Coordinates of all heavy atoms in Angstrom, one line a residue:
M1 N 87.7 81.4 76.9 CA 87.5 80.2 77.6 C 89.0 79.6 77.9 O 89.3 79.2 79.1 CB 86.8 79.2 76.9 CG 86.5 77.9 77.6 SD 85.4 78.3 79.1 CE 85.0 76.7 79.6
I2 N 89.8 79.6 76.9 CA 91.2 79.2 77.1 C 92.0 80.1 78.1 O 92.7 79.5 78.9 CB 91.9 79.1 75.8 CG1 91.3 78.1 74.8 CG2 93.4 78.8 76.0 CD1 91.8 78.0 73.4
E3 N 91.8 81.4 78.1 CA 92.4 82.2 79.0 C 92.1 82.0 80.4 O 92.9 81.9 81.4 CB 92.1 83.7 78.7 CG 92.8 84.1 77.4 CD 92.4 85.6 77.1 OE1 92.0 86.2 77.9 OE2 92.6 86.0 75.8
M4 N 90.8 81.6 80.6 CA 90.2 81.3 82.0 C 90.9 80.0 82.4 O 91.3 79.9 83.6 CB 88.8 81.2 81.9 CG 88.2 81.0 83.3 SD 86.4 81.1 83.4 CE 85.9 79.5 82.8
I5 N 91.0 79.0 81.6 CA 91.6 77.7 81.9 C 93.0 77.9 82.3 O 93.6 77.3 83.3 CB 91.3 76.7 80.9 CG1 89.8 76.4 80.8 CG2 92.1 75.4 81.2 CD1 89.5 75.5 79.6
S6 N 93.8 78.7 81.4 CA 95.2 78.9 81.8 C 95.4 79.6 83.0 O 96.4 79.4 83.8 CB 95.8 79.6 80.6 OG 95.3 80.9 80.4
S7 N 94.6 80.6 83.3 CA 94.7 81.5 84.6 C 94.4 80.5 85.7 O 95.1 80.6 86.8 CB 93.6 82.5 84.6 OG 93.9 83.5 83.6
L8 N 93.4 79.6 85.6 CA 93.1 78.7 86.7 C 94.3 77.7 87.0 O 94.8 77.5 88.1 CB 91.8 77.9 86.3 CG 91.4 76.8 87.4 CD1 91.0 77.6 88.7 CD2 90.2 76.1 86.9
F9 N 94.9 77.2 85.8 CA 96.0 76.3 86.0 C 97.2 77.0 86.6 O 97.9 76.4 87.4 CB 96.4 75.7 84.6 CG 97.4 74.8 84.6 CD1 97.2 73.5 85.1 CD2 98.7 75.0 83.9 CE1 98.2 72.5 85.0 CE2 99.7 74.1 83.9 CZ 99.5 72.8 84.5
E10 N 97.4 78.3 86.2 CA 98.5 79.0 86.7 C 98.4 79.2 88.2 O 99.3 79.1 88.9 CB 98.7 80.4 86.1 CG 99.9 81.2 86.5 CD 99.9 82.5 85.8 OE1 99.0 82.9 84.8 OE2 100.7 83.5 86.2
G11 N 97.2 79.6 88.7 CA 96.8 79.7 90.1 C 97.1 78.4 90.8 O 97.6 78.5 92.0
I12 N 96.8 77.3 90.3 CA 97.0 76.0 91.0 C 98.5 75.8 91.1 O 99.0 75.4 92.2 CB 96.3 74.9 90.3 CG1 94.8 75.1 90.3 CG2 96.8 73.5 90.7 CD1 94.0 74.1 89.4
L13 N 99.3 76.1 90.1 CA 100.7 75.9 90.2 C 101.4 76.8 91.1 O 102.3 76.4 91.9 CB 101.4 76.1 88.7 CG 101.0 75.0 87.8 CD1 101.7 75.3 86.4 CD2 101.6 73.6 88.2
L14 N 100.9 78.1 91.2 CA 101.4 79.0 92.1 C 101.1 78.6 93.6 O 101.8 79.0 94.5 CB 100.9 80.4 91.9 CG 101.6 81.0 90.6 CD1 101.0 82.2 90.2 CD2 103.1 81.1 90.7
A15 N 100.1 77.8 93.8 CA 99.6 77.5 95.3 C 100.4 76.4 95.7 O 100.4 76.2 96.8 CB 98.1 77.2 95.2
I16 N 101.1 75.6 94.9 CA 101.8 74.4 95.4 C 103.3 75.1 95.9 O 103.9 75.6 95.2 CB 102.1 73.4 94.3 CG1 100.8 73.0 93.7 CG2 103.0 72.4 94.7 CD1 100.9 72.0 92.5
P17 N 103.5 74.9 97.1 CA 104.7 75.3 97.7 C 106.0 74.6 97.2 O 106.0 73.4 97.0 CB 104.6 75.2 99.2 CG 103.6 74.2 99.4 CD 102.7 74.2 98.2
S18 N 107.0 75.4 97.0 CA 108.2 74.8 96.5 C 109.0 74.3 97.6 O 108.6 74.5 98.8 CB 109.2 75.9 95.8 OG 109.6 76.9 96.8
S19 N 110.1 73.6 97.3 CA 110.9 73.0 98.5 C 111.4 74.2 99.4 O 111.5 74.0 100.6 CB 112.0 72.2 98.0 OG 112.9 72.8 97.2
A20 N 111.9 75.2 98.8 CA 112.4 76.4 99.6 C 111.2 76.9 100.5 O 111.4 77.2 101.6 CB 112.9 77.5 98.6
D21 N 109.9 77.1 100.0 CA 109.0 77.6 100.7 C 108.6 76.6 102.0 O 108.3 77.1 103.1 CB 107.7 77.7 99.9 CG 107.8 79.0 99.1 OD1 108.5 79.9 99.4 OD2 107.0 79.0 98.1
K22 N 108.8 75.3 101.6 CA 108.5 74.3 102.7 C 109.5 74.5 103.9 O 109.3 74.5 105.0 CB 108.5 73.0 102.1 CG 107.4 72.6 101.3 CD 107.4 71.1 100.8 CE 106.3 70.8 99.9 NZ 106.4 69.5 99.2
K23 N 110.8 74.7 103.4 CA 111.8 74.9 104.5 C 111.6 76.2 105.3 O 111.7 76.3 106.4 CB 113.2 74.9 103.8 CG 114.3 75.1 104.8 CD 115.7 75.2 104.1 CE 116.7 75.5 105.3 NZ 118.0 75.7 104.7
I24 N 111.3 77.2 104.5 CA 110.9 78.5 105.2 C 109.8 78.4 106.2 O 109.8 78.8 107.4 CB 110.7 79.6 104.1 CG1 112.0 80.0 103.4 CG2 110.1 80.9 104.9 CD1 111.8 80.8 102.2
N25 N 108.7 77.8 105.8 CA 107.5 77.5 106.7 C 108.0 76.7 107.8 O 107.4 77.0 109.0 CB 106.4 76.9 105.8 CG 105.8 77.9 104.9 OD1 105.9 79.1 104.9 ND2 105.2 77.4 103.8
K26 N 108.8 75.8 107.6 CA 109.2 74.9 108.7 C 110.0 75.7 109.7 O 109.9 75.6 110.9 CB 110.1 73.7 108.2 CG 110.6 72.8 109.3 CD 111.6 71.8 108.8 CE 112.2 71.1 109.9 NZ 113.3 70.3 109.5
N27 N 110.9 76.5 109.2 CA 111.7 77.4 110.1 C 110.8 78.4 110.8 O 111.1 78.7 112.1 CB 112.7 78.1 109.2 CG 113.9 77.3 108.8 OD1 114.0 76.2 109.3 ND2 114.8 77.8 107.8
F28 N 109.8 78.9 110.2 CA 108.9 79.8 111.0 C 108.2 79.1 112.1 O 107.9 79.6 113.1 CB 107.9 80.5 110.0 CG 108.4 81.7 109.3 CD1 108.4 81.8 107.9 CD2 108.9 82.8 110.0 CE1 108.8 82.9 107.3 CE2 109.3 83.9 109.4 CZ 109.3 84.0 108.0
K29 N 107.7 77.8 111.8 CA 107.1 77.1 112.8 C 107.9 76.8 114.0 O 107.6 76.9 115.2 CB 106.6 75.7 112.2 CG 105.4 76.0 111.4 CD 104.8 74.7 110.9 CE 103.7 74.8 109.9 NZ 103.2 73.7 109.4
L30 N 109.3 76.6 113.8 CA 110.2 76.3 114.9 C 110.4 77.7 115.7 O 110.5 77.6 116.8 CB 111.5 75.9 114.2 CG 111.6 74.4 113.8 CD1 112.9 74.2 112.9 CD2 111.3 73.4 114.9
L31 N 110.6 78.8 114.9 CA 110.8 80.0 115.6 C 109.5 80.4 116.4 O 109.6 81.1 117.5 CB 111.0 81.1 114.5 CG 112.4 81.1 113.9 CD1 112.5 82.1 112.8 CD2 113.5 81.3 114.9
Q32 N 108.3 80.0 116.0 CA 107.1 80.5 116.8 C 107.1 79.8 118.1 O 106.3 80.2 119.0 CB 105.9 80.1 116.0 CG 105.7 81.1 114.7 CD 104.5 80.8 113.9 OE1 103.9 79.8 114.1 NE2 104.2 81.7 113.0
K33 N 107.8 78.8 118.3 CA 107.9 78.1 119.6 C 108.8 78.9 120.6 O 108.6 78.6 121.9 CB 108.4 76.8 119.5 CG 107.5 75.8 118.6 CD 108.2 74.4 118.5 CE 107.3 73.5 117.7 NZ 107.9 72.2 117.4
E34 N 109.5 79.8 120.1 CA 110.5 80.7 120.9 C 109.8 82.0 121.4 O 109.1 82.6 120.7 CB 111.8 81.0 120.1 CG 112.5 79.8 119.6 CD 113.1 79.0 120.8 OE1 113.6 79.6 121.6 OE2 112.8 77.9 120.8
V35 N 109.9 82.2 122.7 CA 109.3 83.4 123.4 C 109.7 84.6 122.6 O 109.0 85.7 122.4 CB 109.5 83.4 124.9 CG1 109.1 84.6 125.6 CG2 108.9 82.2 125.5
W36 N 111.1 84.8 122.5 CA 111.6 86.0 121.8 C 111.1 86.4 120.5 O 110.8 87.4 120.2 CB 113.0 86.0 121.8 CG 113.7 85.0 121.0 CD1 114.1 83.7 121.3 CD2 114.0 85.0 119.6 NE1 114.4 83.0 120.3 CE2 114.5 83.8 119.2 CE3 113.9 86.0 118.6 CZ2 114.9 83.5 117.9 CZ3 114.2 85.8 117.3 CH2 114.8 84.5 116.9
Y37 N 110.8 85.3 119.7 CA 110.3 85.4 118.4 C 108.8 85.8 118.5 O 108.3 86.7 117.7 CB 110.4 84.1 117.5 CG 109.9 84.3 116.2 CD1 110.6 85.1 115.2 CD2 108.7 83.8 115.8 CE1 110.2 85.2 114.0 CE2 108.1 84.0 114.5 CZ 108.9 84.7 113.6 OH 108.4 84.9 112.3
R38 N 108.0 85.2 119.4 CA 106.7 85.6 119.5 C 106.4 87.1 119.9 O 105.6 87.7 119.6 CB 106.0 84.7 120.5 CG 105.7 83.3 120.1 CD 104.8 82.5 120.8 NE 105.1 82.5 122.3 CZ 105.7 81.3 122.8 NH1 106.1 80.3 122.2 NH2 106.1 81.4 124.1
K39 N 107.4 87.6 120.7 CA 107.4 89.0 121.1 C 107.6 89.8 119.8 O 107.0 90.9 119.6 CB 108.5 89.3 122.1 CG 108.1 88.8 123.5 CD 109.3 89.2 124.4 CE 109.1 88.6 125.7 NZ 110.1 88.9 126.7
L40 N 108.5 89.4 118.9 CA 108.8 90.2 117.6 C 107.4 90.1 116.7 O 107.0 91.0 116.2 CB 109.9 89.5 116.8 CG 111.3 89.8 117.2 CD1 112.2 89.1 116.3 CD2 111.5 91.3 117.0
L41 N 106.7 88.9 116.8 CA 105.5 88.8 116.1 C 104.4 89.8 116.6 O 103.6 90.3 115.9 CB 105.0 87.4 116.0 CG 105.5 86.4 115.1 CD1 104.8 85.0 115.2 CD2 105.2 86.9 113.6
Y42 N 104.4 89.8 117.9 CA 103.4 90.7 118.6 C 103.7 92.1 118.2 O 102.7 92.9 118.0 CB 103.4 90.5 120.1 CG 102.5 91.3 120.8 CD1 101.2 91.0 120.8 CD2 103.0 92.5 121.5 CE1 100.3 91.9 121.5 CE2 102.1 93.3 122.2 CZ 100.7 93.0 122.3 OH 99.8 93.7 122.8
R43 N 104.9 92.5 118.1 CA 105.3 93.8 117.8 C 105.2 94.2 116.4 O 104.7 95.2 116.0 CB 106.8 94.1 118.2 CG 107.2 95.5 118.2 CD 108.7 95.9 118.6 NE 109.0 95.0 119.8 CZ 110.3 94.5 119.9 NH1 111.1 94.6 119.1 NH2 110.4 93.7 121.1
H44 N 105.6 93.3 115.5 CA 105.5 93.5 114.0 C 104.4 92.9 113.3 O 104.2 93.2 112.1 CB 106.9 93.1 113.5 CG 108.1 93.9 114.0 ND1 108.4 95.2 113.8 CD2 109.0 93.4 114.9 CE1 109.6 95.5 114.4 NE2 109.8 94.5 115.2
G45 N 103.7 92.0 114.0 CA 102.7 91.3 113.3 C 103.1 90.3 112.2 O 104.2 89.9 112.1
T46 N 102.2 89.8 111.4 CA 102.4 88.8 110.4 C 103.2 89.3 109.3 O 103.4 88.6 108.4 CB 101.2 88.0 110.1 OG1 100.3 89.0 109.5 CG2 100.6 87.4 111.2
L47 N 103.3 90.7 109.2 CA 104.2 91.2 108.1 C 105.6 90.5 108.0 O 106.2 90.5 107.0 CB 104.4 92.8 108.3 CG 103.2 93.6 108.0 CD1 103.4 95.0 108.4 CD2 102.7 93.5 106.6
I48 N 106.1 90.2 109.2 CA 107.4 89.5 109.3 C 107.4 88.2 108.3 O 108.3 87.9 107.6 CB 107.7 89.0 110.7 CG1 108.0 90.2 111.5 CG2 108.8 88.0 110.7 CD1 108.3 89.9 113.0
Q49 N 106.3 87.4 108.4 CA 106.3 86.2 107.7 C 105.9 86.4 106.1 O 106.1 85.5 105.3 CB 105.2 85.2 108.3 CG 105.7 84.8 109.6 CD 104.6 83.9 110.3 OE1 103.5 84.0 110.0 NE2 105.3 83.2 111.3
M50 N 105.5 87.6 105.9 CA 105.1 87.9 104.4 C 106.1 88.6 103.6 O 106.2 88.6 102.5 CB 103.8 88.7 104.4 CG 102.6 88.0 104.9 SD 101.2 89.0 104.9 CE 99.9 88.0 105.0
N51 N 107.0 89.2 104.4 CA 108.2 90.0 103.7 C 109.1 89.1 103.1 O 109.7 88.2 103.5 CB 108.9 90.8 104.8 CG 109.8 91.7 104.2 OD1 111.0 91.2 103.8 ND2 109.6 93.1 104.2
N52 N 109.3 89.4 101.7 CA 110.2 88.5 100.9 C 111.7 88.4 101.3 O 112.4 87.4 101.4 CB 110.1 89.0 99.4 CG 108.8 88.5 98.7 OD1 108.2 87.4 99.2 ND2 108.4 89.3 97.8
S53 N 112.2 89.6 101.7 CA 113.6 89.6 102.2 C 113.7 88.8 103.5 O 114.7 88.1 103.7 CB 113.9 91.0 102.5 OG 114.0 91.8 101.2
L54 N 112.7 88.9 104.3 CA 112.8 88.2 105.7 C 112.7 86.7 105.4 O 113.4 86.0 106.1 CB 111.8 88.7 106.5 CG 112.0 88.4 108.0 CD1 113.3 88.9 108.5 CD2 110.9 88.8 108.8
R55 N 111.8 86.4 104.5 CA 111.5 84.9 104.1 C 112.8 84.4 103.6 O 113.2 83.3 103.9 CB 110.4 84.8 103.2 CG 109.0 85.1 103.8 CD 108.0 84.7 102.9 NE 107.8 83.4 102.4 CZ 107.2 82.5 103.1 NH1 106.7 82.6 104.3 NH2 107.2 81.2 102.7
H56 N 113.5 85.1 102.7 CA 114.8 84.5 102.1 C 115.9 84.5 103.3 O 116.6 83.5 103.3 CB 115.2 85.6 101.0 CG 116.6 85.3 100.5 ND1 116.8 84.2 99.6 CD2 117.8 85.8 100.6 CE1 118.0 84.1 99.3 NE2 118.6 85.1 99.9
F57 N 115.9 85.5 104.1 CA 116.8 85.4 105.3 C 116.6 84.1 106.2 O 117.4 83.4 106.4 CB 116.7 86.6 106.1 CG 117.4 86.7 107.4 CD1 118.8 87.0 107.4 CD2 116.7 86.4 108.6 CE1 119.6 86.9 108.5 CE2 117.6 86.4 109.7 CZ 119.0 86.7 109.7
I58 N 115.3 84.0 106.5 CA 114.9 82.8 107.4 C 115.3 81.5 106.7 O 115.7 80.5 107.1 CB 113.4 82.8 107.7 CG1 113.1 84.1 108.6 CG2 113.0 81.5 108.5 CD1 113.7 84.1 109.9
G59 N 115.1 81.5 105.3 CA 115.3 80.2 104.6 C 116.7 79.8 104.4 O 117.1 78.7 104.1
Q60 N 117.7 80.7 104.7 CA 119.1 80.5 104.6 C 119.7 79.8 105.7 O 120.7 79.1 105.7 CB 119.8 81.8 104.5 CG 119.6 82.6 103.2 CD 120.4 83.9 103.2 OE1 120.9 84.3 104.2 NE2 120.6 84.5 102.0
Y61 N 119.0 79.6 106.8 CA 119.5 79.1 108.1 C 118.8 77.7 108.4 O 117.8 77.4 108.0 CB 119.2 80.1 109.2 CG 120.1 81.3 109.2 CD1 119.5 82.4 108.5 CD2 121.4 81.4 109.7 CE1 120.3 83.7 108.4 CE2 122.1 82.5 109.6 CZ 121.5 83.6 109.0 OH 122.4 84.7 108.9
D62 N 119.7 77.0 109.2 CA 119.2 75.8 109.8 C 118.8 76.1 111.2 O 119.6 76.2 112.1 CB 120.3 74.8 109.8 CG 119.8 73.4 110.4 OD1 118.7 73.3 110.7 OD2 120.8 72.6 110.7
I63 N 117.5 76.5 111.3 CA 116.9 77.1 112.5 C 117.0 76.1 113.7 O 117.4 76.4 114.8 CB 115.5 77.4 112.4 CG1 115.4 78.5 111.3 CG2 114.9 78.0 113.7 CD1 116.2 79.8 111.7
E64 N 116.9 74.7 113.5 CA 117.0 73.8 114.5 C 118.5 73.8 115.1 O 118.5 73.8 116.4 CB 116.8 72.4 113.9 CG 115.4 72.0 113.8 CD 115.2 70.5 113.4 OE1 115.2 69.7 114.2 OE2 115.1 70.3 112.2
S65 N 119.5 73.8 114.4 CA 120.9 73.9 115.0 C 121.1 75.3 115.6 O 121.7 75.4 116.7 CB 121.9 73.7 113.9 OG 122.0 74.8 113.1
I66 N 120.6 76.3 115.2 CA 120.6 77.6 115.8 C 120.0 77.7 117.1 O 120.5 78.3 118.1 CB 120.1 78.7 114.8 CG1 121.0 79.0 113.7 CG2 119.9 80.0 115.6 CD1 120.5 79.9 112.5
L67 N 118.8 77.1 117.2 CA 118.1 77.1 118.5 C 118.8 76.3 119.5 O 118.5 76.5 120.7 CB 116.7 76.8 118.3 CG 115.8 77.6 117.4 CD1 114.4 77.0 117.2 CD2 115.6 79.0 118.0
N68 N 119.6 75.4 119.1 CA 120.2 74.6 120.2 C 121.7 75.1 120.5 O 122.3 74.5 121.3 CB 120.5 73.1 119.6 CG 119.1 72.5 119.4 OD1 118.2 72.6 120.3 ND2 119.0 71.6 118.4
D69 N 122.1 76.2 119.9 CA 123.4 76.7 120.3 C 123.2 78.2 120.6 O 122.8 79.1 119.8 CB 124.3 76.6 119.0 CG 125.7 77.1 119.2 OD1 125.9 77.9 120.2 OD2 126.6 76.7 118.4
S70 N 123.4 78.5 121.8 CA 123.2 80.0 122.4 C 123.9 81.0 121.7 O 123.5 82.1 121.4 CB 123.3 80.0 123.9 OG 124.7 79.7 124.2
E71 N 125.2 80.7 121.3 CA 126.1 81.7 120.6 C 125.5 81.9 119.3 O 125.3 83.1 118.8 CB 127.5 81.1 120.6 CG 128.5 82.3 120.1 CD 128.5 83.4 121.1 OE1 128.3 83.3 122.3 OE2 128.6 84.6 120.5
K72 N 125.2 80.9 118.5 CA 124.6 81.1 117.1 C 123.3 81.8 117.2 O 123.0 82.6 116.3 CB 124.3 79.7 116.5 CG 125.6 79.0 116.0 CD 125.2 77.7 115.3 CE 126.4 76.9 114.8 NZ 126.0 75.6 114.3
L73 N 122.4 81.5 118.3 CA 121.2 82.1 118.5 C 121.3 83.8 118.6 O 120.6 84.5 118.0 CB 120.5 81.5 119.7 CG 119.0 82.1 119.9 CD1 118.2 81.8 118.7 CD2 118.4 81.4 121.2
K74 N 122.3 84.1 119.5 CA 122.6 85.5 119.7 C 122.9 86.3 118.3 O 122.5 87.3 118.1 CB 123.6 85.7 120.7 CG 123.4 85.5 122.1 CD 124.4 85.6 123.1 CE 124.1 85.0 124.4 NZ 125.2 85.2 125.3
I75 N 123.8 85.6 117.6 CA 124.1 86.1 116.2 C 123.0 86.3 115.3 O 122.7 87.2 114.6 CB 125.4 85.3 115.7 CG1 126.6 85.4 116.4 CG2 125.6 85.8 114.2 CD1 127.6 84.5 116.0
F76 N 122.1 85.1 115.3 CA 121.0 85.1 114.4 C 120.0 86.2 114.8 O 119.4 86.8 114.0 CB 120.4 83.7 114.6 CG 119.0 83.6 113.8 CD1 119.0 83.5 112.5 CD2 117.8 83.6 114.5 CE1 117.8 83.4 111.6 CE2 116.6 83.5 113.8 CZ 116.6 83.5 112.4
Q77 N 119.8 86.4 116.1 CA 118.8 87.4 116.6 C 119.2 88.9 116.3 O 118.5 89.6 115.8 CB 118.6 87.3 118.1 CG 117.9 86.2 118.6 CD 117.8 86.0 120.2 OE1 118.8 86.3 120.8 NE2 116.8 85.5 120.7
A78 N 120.7 89.0 116.2 CA 121.2 90.4 115.9 C 121.0 90.5 114.4 O 120.6 91.7 114.0 CB 122.7 90.5 116.3
D79 N 121.3 89.5 113.6 CA 121.1 89.6 112.1 C 119.6 89.8 111.8 O 119.3 90.6 110.9 CB 121.6 88.4 111.5 CG 123.1 88.2 111.6 OD1 123.9 89.3 111.9 OD2 123.7 87.1 111.3
L80 N 118.8 89.1 112.5 CA 117.3 89.3 112.2 C 116.8 90.7 112.6 O 116.1 91.2 111.8 CB 116.5 88.2 113.1 CG 115.0 88.3 113.0 CD1 114.5 88.0 111.5 CD2 114.4 87.2 113.9
R81 N 117.3 91.3 113.6 CA 116.9 92.6 114.0 C 117.4 93.6 112.9 O 116.7 94.6 112.5 CB 117.5 93.0 115.3 CG 116.8 92.5 116.4 CD 117.2 93.0 117.8 NE 117.0 92.1 118.8 CZ 118.0 91.3 119.4 NH1 119.1 91.4 118.9 NH2 117.7 90.4 120.3
K82 N 118.6 93.3 112.3 CA 119.2 94.2 111.3 C 118.3 94.1 110.0 O 118.0 95.1 109.4 CB 120.5 93.8 111.0 CG 121.3 94.7 110.0 CD 122.7 94.2 109.6 CE 123.4 95.2 108.7 NZ 122.7 95.5 107.5
V83 N 117.9 92.9 109.7 CA 117.0 92.8 108.5 C 115.6 93.5 108.7 O 115.1 94.2 107.9 CB 116.7 91.3 108.2 CG1 115.7 91.2 107.1 CG2 118.0 90.7 107.8
L84 N 115.1 93.4 110.0 CA 113.8 94.1 110.3 C 114.0 95.5 110.2 O 113.2 96.3 109.6 CB 113.4 93.7 111.7 CG 112.9 92.3 111.9 CD1 112.6 92.1 113.4 CD2 111.6 92.2 111.0
V85 N 115.1 96.1 110.6 CA 115.3 97.6 110.6 C 115.5 97.9 108.9 O 115.0 98.9 108.6 CB 116.7 98.0 111.3 CG1 117.1 99.3 111.0 CG2 116.4 97.9 112.9
D86 N 116.3 97.1 108.3 CA 116.6 97.4 106.9 C 115.3 97.4 106.1 O 115.1 98.2 105.1 CB 117.5 96.4 106.2 CG 118.9 96.5 106.8 OD1 119.2 97.6 107.4 OD2 119.8 95.6 106.5
E87 N 114.3 96.6 106.5 CA 113.0 96.5 105.8 C 112.0 97.4 106.4 O 110.8 97.4 106.0 CB 112.5 95.0 105.8 CG 113.4 94.1 105.0 CD 113.3 94.4 103.5 OE1 112.2 94.7 103.1 OE2 114.4 94.4 102.9
Y88 N 112.4 98.3 107.4 CA 111.4 99.2 108.0 C 110.2 98.5 108.6 O 109.1 98.9 108.5 CB 110.9 100.2 107.0 CG 112.0 101.0 106.4 CD1 112.3 100.8 105.0 CD2 112.8 101.9 107.0 CE1 113.3 101.4 104.3 CE2 113.8 102.6 106.4 CZ 114.0 102.3 105.0 OH 115.1 103.0 104.5
L89 N 110.5 97.3 109.2 CA 109.5 96.7 109.9 C 109.5 96.9 111.5 O 110.1 97.0 112.2 CB 109.5 95.1 109.7 CG 109.1 94.7 108.3 CD1 109.4 93.3 108.0 CD2 107.7 95.1 107.8

């Protein structure tokens, strides 16, 4: 009985997103507004959003500022493509 309660408690704690997860999810929502990113989603599916390396990559950036600067956006897109290739997605 105690094991079941501890497993339930552990599941609840794991379901609460951390501040890093909140930032990553916010970044994904911002990216989903972009046509070029939606094309990537269409091609690669939701595996993009589940991949830990890609989630870490997305979490490192301030997506709002990148989307407002065309030069930063080009660099970000190239880096994102490199991560996708490295992860075989």
Side-chain angles (χ1 to χ4, degrees):
M1 182 72 167
I2 292 175
E3 290 178 19
M4 186 173 77
I5 292 172
S6 66
S7 294
L8 180 64
F9 184 68
E10 182 181 355
I12 290 171
L13 288 178
L14 291 175
I16 299 171
S18 67
S19 61
D21 283 335
K22 288 179 183 177
K23 179 182 178 188
I24 291 168
N25 292 337
K26 178 186 172 197
N27 285 349
F28 275 124
K29 285 181 184 179
L30 290 171
L31 287 171
Q32 287 176 351
K33 295 177 183 177
E34 300 294 312
V35 173
W36 63 269
Y37 182 76
R38 286 195 304 264
K39 288 179 183 178
L40 279 178
L41 275 180
Y42 180 75
R43 188 175 323 137
H44 299 285
T46 56
L47 290 175
I48 289 177
Q49 296 175 333
M50 295 176 164
N51 183 285
N52 286 332
S53 296
L54 198 62
R55 289 183 64 81
H56 178 73
F57 174 79
I58 296 292
Q60 292 179 345
Y61 290 93
D62 178 11
I63 298 299
E64 280 187 83
S65 68
I66 288 173
L67 295 177
N68 293 325
D69 184 341
S70 62
E71 191 60 36
K72 286 182 183 178
L73 181 59
K74 288 177 186 176
I75 294 168
F76 175 78
Q77 288 172 327
D79 292 344
L80 179 60
R81 281 189 212 99
K82 183 178 182 314
V83 172
L84 288 171
V85 168
D86 290 346
E87 290 296 313
Y88 303 108
L89 292 177

